[in-house]
Amino acid sequence: MVRINGEDLDAGGKSITEYLNSAGYDLMRVAVELNGNIVPKALYADTIFKNGDSVEVVSFVGGG
């Protein structure tokens, strides 16, 4: 299990890109923190979640 935004999900073995797409996130409007470190967008496709990982996904919203 991978803890994503405080929820345990069966996402082990998925890349960040796969998870974000399946969860309906807009890849251009999010930041991903994996185990306390921000992951550069260029590495999303190559970064694979492992069981026990802790992930925070933050969406950016426009407005003022």
Side-chain angles (χ1 to χ4, degrees):
M1 298 302 261
V2 178
R3 190 168 215 33
I4 300 176
N5 291 348
E7 186 177 346
D8 288 328
L9 300 173
D10 187 18
K14 286 187 179 180
S15 70
I16 293 175
T17 300
E18 289 172 323
Y19 169 74
L20 293 175
N21 284 332
S22 70
Y25 285 101
D26 178 350
L27 273 68
M28 300 310 294
R29 300 185 63 88
V30 297
V32 177
E33 179 183 285
L34 175 62
N35 299 323
N37 298 303
I38 299 293
V39 179
K41 288 189 188 308
L43 299 179
Y44 283 9
D46 297 324
T47 303
I48 308 299
F49 292 141
K50 296 181 253 352
N51 287 330
D53 280 345
S54 178
V55 180
E56 291 294 324
V57 180
V58 179
S59 296
F60 299 105
V61 237

